[in-house]
Structure formats: structure tokens, C-alpha cells
Amino acid sequence: MSGDQIIIFDTTLRDGEQSPGCSMNTREKLEVARALVDLGVDVIEAGFPIASPGDFEAVSEIARTFGDRTTICALARSLDEDVQRAKESLADAQKRRIHVFLATSAIHREFKLRMDKKEIVERAVRSVQQAREFCDDIEFSPEDAARTELDFLCEVVERTIEAGATTVNIPDTVGYATPSQYYRVISCLKERVSNIDRAVISTHCHNDLGLAVANSLAAVEAGARQIECTINGLGERAGNAALEEVVMALRTRADYYGCFTNIHTERLYPTSHLVSSITGMKVQRNKAIVGQNAFAHEAGIHQHGVLQERTTYEIMKPEDVGFVGENLVLGKHSGRHAFRDRVRQLGFDLSEDALQQAFDDFIALADKKKEVYDADIVALIEHRIGDVPERWKLISFHTSAGSSSVPTATLELQCEDQPVICDAATGDGPIDAVFRAMERIMELTARLEDFSVRSVSRGKDAQGEVRVIINVNGRQYQGKGVSTDIIEAAAQAYLQALNKADNDRRSQLPQTSTESLPASP
Ligand code: KIV
Ligand code: ZN
């Protein structure tokens, strides 16, 4: 590989998790972190430890599990207690970074922080020094940098590098920048900050105007050497720059950018799928790189061209990003070995127990369905990933519905090894009746905020995947289920979401987000 390396800093677990409805529990975060390590990201921003005990626990677990392989980063406001908490969460990581931020733009100084420029510089310097006592790898972000006066931005950057920052991140916090303007900001820092060679310049672009990827790439042209991004472009509001897009742009146009990344691009599609499945945030079909249609040629003239010579209309190969189409794979008589090989090829690294579980699910599916596709297997495996331990299990259900009868559901649920509870309810339809019966048994009241069904593969006997988002006491939970029976898939999805709510009811975890905390002082 030639040219400069672009450091890929993934913030799916921090900024990405701040997307509405995308919060993850520690197990889910560990699954995503494992996928990010396999993908080859250089830095994982694992969370914001001061935000909640749950966030602290997740960062600590990720640091402990993966901190010898990838740099694990914890976010902190420029406050002593934040930096202290970040240090504690990273204690077990060999490779660690503290990311300190403080807003610098006039709007934030006046209305959010009520601090003048001098106080901002002093506080930023102090917290970078405090973080530097703990580790050598320190990132500083002047929040809302893209709207900060250039003179002041240069001053803050110079002073924080002097204090020990090794990466200076230039966030376009509100997605206001345009590519040429952002290019000028980075160029200006390179020209005017006397010690800029002692730090890596980083980009962190939000997508409010749909320019996050373009702005990040413009910054690379100007000399930035780290890109902060998220899988599927998750993040606050319209999200952050999508990792898969910046990486494939740099790779496909290496002739132009002259840079490379350490990303194993064939892991992009499976990672995107996993994150979508865990967060419940669907990927639009025509999304660049990882959308279902990203490699589909519909027009006859295109199909003809691709058959003659694929580069006529294809600038990337589906296999370069690990795209899984609708390949017919295995049948009922395929053995465990063939199944294990296919699972590996699809990018999953399962423990023996998880593999056995997936194989049992596969055999049960192959009994119901003649043809099993790659997508079916991916759905079966992902369905089990990141589940909270299920206290409540679905033992059986029965529904009845019709044009002239009241839809009714009878359900049997079991909580751990207690006696099975049976109850019934009516509803607007059989699915609604199942949901109501479940809530009665579990003594939880939920509001259904989103319900979606998609077919996992082809054919009338295709599996249906149901995703739900419910709201319990102001907090959102998502669940998913897969089955050839859509009512069963809906029941699994609702039960998974209710199990998460039940878990929180028992442990009373608060929400995590930079938004839910007061700004620095
Ligand atoms: O968008 C932003 O400014 C951030 C900072 C915390 C880097 O997410
Ligand atoms: Zn951000």
C-alpha cells in the first residue's frame, strides 16, 4: 500500500449510540466492538463513561476485552470528574486514548458555557494535561470548530497541542460546513499553527446537509489524517460520516487521494448488517456501499454491459465489501461442517455453543422451508446476537382472527424456572392481541412506536423478520424476531423488547447521551 495511512476512528458506540432509538446494552456493545476489531478500525470510541453506570461498564468491558488489539477511547468533557472517570474506565486497556472536548464557537461560548475565550483555553489546557498524566494518547476536540473564529481555533489547537494533545479533532458538530470551506479550515490550521506537526489532524463531520462524507474527504485532501465515522452513518440527528463510504471512497479513488486505510473491506457488509440488526436502524435499500441495491443493475443496457465487462458499470466488486446476495446455499441434508464453513464465509466467528444453536435453528428452518439462502442464515444468527438473557420465554401461543370475529390471542410465558403463566387478550388484530396478552402476563405497559416486517429472502415460504420499537416509561427498546410465521416473529420481537425493559426495571439504568448531561461548567 502506498501513500499516507488514514486512521479510522469509529464512534458508532458513542456518537452512533446517540441516535434516537439506537441505545445498546453492554452485551450488544461488546458484539459491535468485536466486529469493529475484526473490521480493522484503528480506534474505537467506546463511550462516554461519566454519562451513566451503564456507559462506564461498557467502556470498561470493551477496554478489558479488546484493549490489547485496538486503541480504546473514552470521551470526557473538560471537567476533572469526567477525565477521572474516563481514566478509570480505561484502566485495563493496553492501548488507550482519552478524548476531551470543549466547545469553542461564539454561540456555544455565550449561550451554553457562558465563558470567555481565555477561560476556554485555560480549561482545555488543564484537562488535556490532566488526561496526559494517565496516557500518552490524547485527543482534543474544540466542539463546533467549524463555526469557530479561525484565529481563536488556531490558538486553541496550538495551546492544546502544547499541553500534550496528540490528535486534534475539528468537529463540524452541527453539519454546517461545506467541502471547500472545511478544506480551508484544515489548510489554515496546517499553515498557522506552529506545532501542528506534533499532532494528527482529525475530522468529525455531521450529516445535517448530507455533506459529512464529502467534508471528511475534503479534509483529507487538506492534510487531515484521521477520520471519525460510524457504521451506516449512525449518529446525532442526521448522523456522522459513514465509515463504509469514506473507506471505499479512499480505496476506490486511491489514484486521487493517494491514501490507504487498515480496514478489511470485505467485512464492511457483515458489520453494517450486524449494527443494523442490533440497533434496529434499517439501512435504506439504495444506501451507498451496504444498501441491498448498491450492486443491483436493473436497466437492460447496464446488465448487458456488466455481463460483457463488469467495469462498464461497476466501480467496486460486491465481494470487495463482503456483499451477501440471495445465494441459495444449503438444504436440510447439509451437514454441520458445511454449515460451519458457510457461517465463516459469511463473516461470523461463533463459539461452539453459538454455532450449535445456529445449526439447530437452521435445521428447524430447513424443515419448514425448501430453500435456505445466505440471508436466512445471517438473519438466524443475528437474531441471537446481543440478546439480553431472556428471563421470559415464549412457551406457546394461539391466535384466532377473521373478518367476523374478535381477534384473540392465548399465550403461555415462563419466567426463568417459575410456573408457566397462561393468559389471553383481545386486540385490533391477532398481533395486537398477542402484544396485549404479553404485557398482561409480564405486568408491563408499553407503547408501540415502530413495527416493520421484511422478507429475509425470496419465495412465499420466505422467513419474515419483524422489528419493533417500544417505549416503556419514556425509554425506547427494540426487538426483532424471525420466523416463517409472521405472528410468531412479531411475538419474538415484542418479547425481546419487553425483556430489555424488564431488565432495566430491575436494575434501573439511566439513559446515556452527551445531550442528557449538562454542558461543561
Ligand atoms: O459532534 C461533536 O462535536 C462531538 C464531539 C464530542 C467530538 O461529537
Ligand atoms: Zn459528533
Side-chain angles (χ1 to χ4, degrees):
M1 276 186 257
S2 61
D4 286 356
Q5 185 196 336
I6 302 298
I7 298 165
I8 297 297
F9 175 115
D10 180 278
T11 183
T12 307
L13 294 173
R14 201 276 299 167
D15 216 324
E17 211 224 357
Q18 288 173 218
S19 309
C22 279
S23 60
M24 296 173 241
N25 60 40
T26 299
R27 282 180 58 156
E28 291 169 331
K29 288 183 183 176
L30 278 165
E31 281 303 328
V32 172
R34 182 183 308 283
L36 294 173
V37 171
D38 291 347
L39 182 63
V41 307
D42 302 290
V43 185
I44 295 176
E45 187 164 50
F48 188 19
I50 194 91
S52 73
D55 240 40
F56 179 85
E57 178 197 70
V59 178
S60 312
E61 284 285 325
I62 292 170
R64 191 170 308 127
T65 317
F66 302 109
D68 56 339
R69 292 170 67 190
T70 304
T71 300
I72 308 300
C73 175
L75 182 69
R77 291 168 300 177
S78 286
L79 292 173
D80 295 357
E81 57 272 32
D82 278 38
V83 175
Q84 184 54 34
R85 203 76 177 128
K87 289 180 181 179
E88 287 160 13
S89 70
L90 294 175
D92 291 333
Q94 283 167 36
K95 297 177 171 190
R96 53 200 182 190
R97 172 182 296 188
I98 296 182
H99 177 189
V100 184
F101 74 101
L102 181 62
T104 49
S105 66
I107 301 176
H108 282 240
R109 290 195 312 263
E110 185 182 343
F111 298 106
K112 186 174 91 172
L113 301 173
R114 298 183 202 290
M115 287 167 76
D116 63 21
K117 289 181 177 172
K118 186 164 168 283
E119 287 171 295
I120 299 267
V121 173
E122 281 170 6
R123 185 164 285 278
V125 164
R126 197 180 112 147
S127 44
V128 168
Q129 284 169 340
Q130 189 196 348
R132 189 66 203 244
E133 285 163 12
F134 173 72
C135 64
D136 293 339
D137 189 348
I138 304 300
E139 173 166 331
F140 178 74
S141 286
E143 191 189 4
D144 205 17
R147 291 194 300 171
T148 299
E149 307 90 311
L150 274 177
D151 287 345
F152 184 51
L153 185 63
C154 288
E155 182 188 342
V156 173
V157 166
E158 188 159 300
R159 293 288 305 280
T160 48
I161 294 176
E162 204 176 276
T166 43
T167 300
V168 281
N169 184 38
I170 309 302
D172 179 19
T173 304
V174 291
Y176 184 72
T178 65
S180 50
Q181 178 221 339
Y182 197 57
Y183 176 96
R184 284 201 300 275
V185 172
I186 306 294
S187 304
C188 170
L189 292 171
K190 287 209 73 133
E191 275 161 29
R192 290 171 39 187
V193 174
S194 65
N195 54 6
I196 198 72
D197 292 344
R198 283 166 37 197
V200 173
I201 302 178
S202 165
T203 75
H204 178 107
C205 297
H206 279 271
N207 205 28
D208 300 67
L209 293 173
L211 293 172
V213 169
N215 288 340
S216 307
L217 294 171
V220 166
E221 284 191 70
R225 288 295 174 262
Q226 173 175 287
I227 298 181
E228 300 200 355
C229 43
T230 55
I231 301 293
N232 299 337
L234 292 182
E236 280 279 354
R237 307 178 309 278
N240 290 63
L243 182 150
E244 58 279 6
E245 294 179 22
V246 290
V247 165
M248 287 313 286
L250 290 172
R251 176 177 150 149
T252 309
R253 297 308 311 274
D255 60 318
Y256 180 74
Y257 292 106
C259 297
F260 70 94
T261 71
N262 282 338
I263 296 298
H264 307 297
T265 60
E266 69 288 353
R267 301 283 317 142
L268 286 170
Y269 187 79
T271 311
S272 155
H273 221 280
L274 175 78
V275 169
S276 161
S277 164
I278 285 181
T279 58
M281 190 74 110
K282 276 172 267 170
V283 173
Q284 79 197 51
R285 285 191 84 89
N286 63 338
K287 158 99 176 55
I289 317 295
V290 291
Q292 269 302 309
N293 290 359
F295 295 94
H297 301 279
E298 194 66 28
I301 190 166
H302 288 202
Q303 289 173 349
H304 179 71
V306 169
L307 286 175
Q308 303 295 313
E309 165 58 45
R310 73 199 275 184
T311 55
T312 47
Y313 286 100
E314 234 174 49
I315 59 166
M316 297 166 277
K317 295 198 282 296
E319 53 271 33
D320 291 344
V321 303
F323 182 80
V324 175
E326 291 189 324
N327 307 335
L328 175 60
V329 275
L330 303 168
K332 189 170 165 168
H333 303 293
S334 312
R336 203 166 174 280
H337 277 301
F339 182 76
R340 179 205 298 264
D341 285 351
R342 195 65 201 151
V343 165
R344 285 224 181 100
Q345 281 161 17
L346 290 171
F348 294 100
D349 181 15
L350 301 184
S351 66
E352 274 309 309
D353 283 355
L355 185 77
Q356 188 57 49
Q357 175 71 67
F359 186 64
D360 293 346
D361 289 348
F362 160 73
I363 293 295
L365 177 65
D367 252 345
K368 292 189 206 160
K369 193 172 180 295
K370 277 205 306 285
E371 297 166 329
V372 179
Y373 296 89
D374 279 343
D376 287 315
I377 294 184
V378 171
L380 285 180
I381 295 172
E382 286 181 348
H383 171 57
R384 301 262 175 202
I385 285 174
D387 285 359
V388 290
E390 289 193 338
R391 280 185 78 227
W392 290 88
K393 288 200 170 47
L394 178 63
I395 305 298
S396 74
F397 74 95
H398 173 83
T399 58
S400 85
S403 55
S404 55
S405 63
V406 179
T408 313
T410 309
L411 224 62
E412 284 186 315
L413 294 187
Q414 185 176 25
C415 181
E416 292 172 335
D417 47 10
Q418 292 166 33
V420 172
I421 305 178
C422 178
D423 207 340
T426 56
D428 289 339
I431 292 180
D432 185 42
V434 167
F435 291 176
R436 286 173 192 236
M438 227 171 239
E439 288 179 32
R440 281 168 64 111
I441 296 177
M442 292 175 72
E443 293 175 4
L444 272 167
T445 309
R447 193 175 67 237
L448 182 64
E449 296 199 335
D450 196 26
F451 178 94
S452 66
V453 188
R454 80 173 178 103
S455 160
V456 169
S457 55
R458 280 179 268 162
K460 282 191 185 146
D461 64 351
Q463 292 194 98
E465 181 187 79
V466 173
R467 291 177 184 229
V468 297
I469 297 179
I470 62 169
N471 190 312
V472 179
N473 295 330
R475 183 157 189 184
Q476 287 183 321
Y477 301 90
Q478 66 105 11
K480 59 185 180 299
V482 224
S483 170
T484 46
D485 176 343
I486 212 66
I487 298 180
E488 185 176 5
Q492 288 171 1
Y494 207 69
L495 184 61
Q496 192 182 58
L498 285 179
N499 261 317
K500 290 179 185 172
D502 177 52
N503 236 24
D504 273 4
R505 175 170 62 177
R506 288 165 1 105
S507 61
Q508 296 297 335
L509 285 180
Q511 294 235 32
T512 63
S513 144
T514 44
E515 298 300 292
S516 62
L517 285 173
S520 319

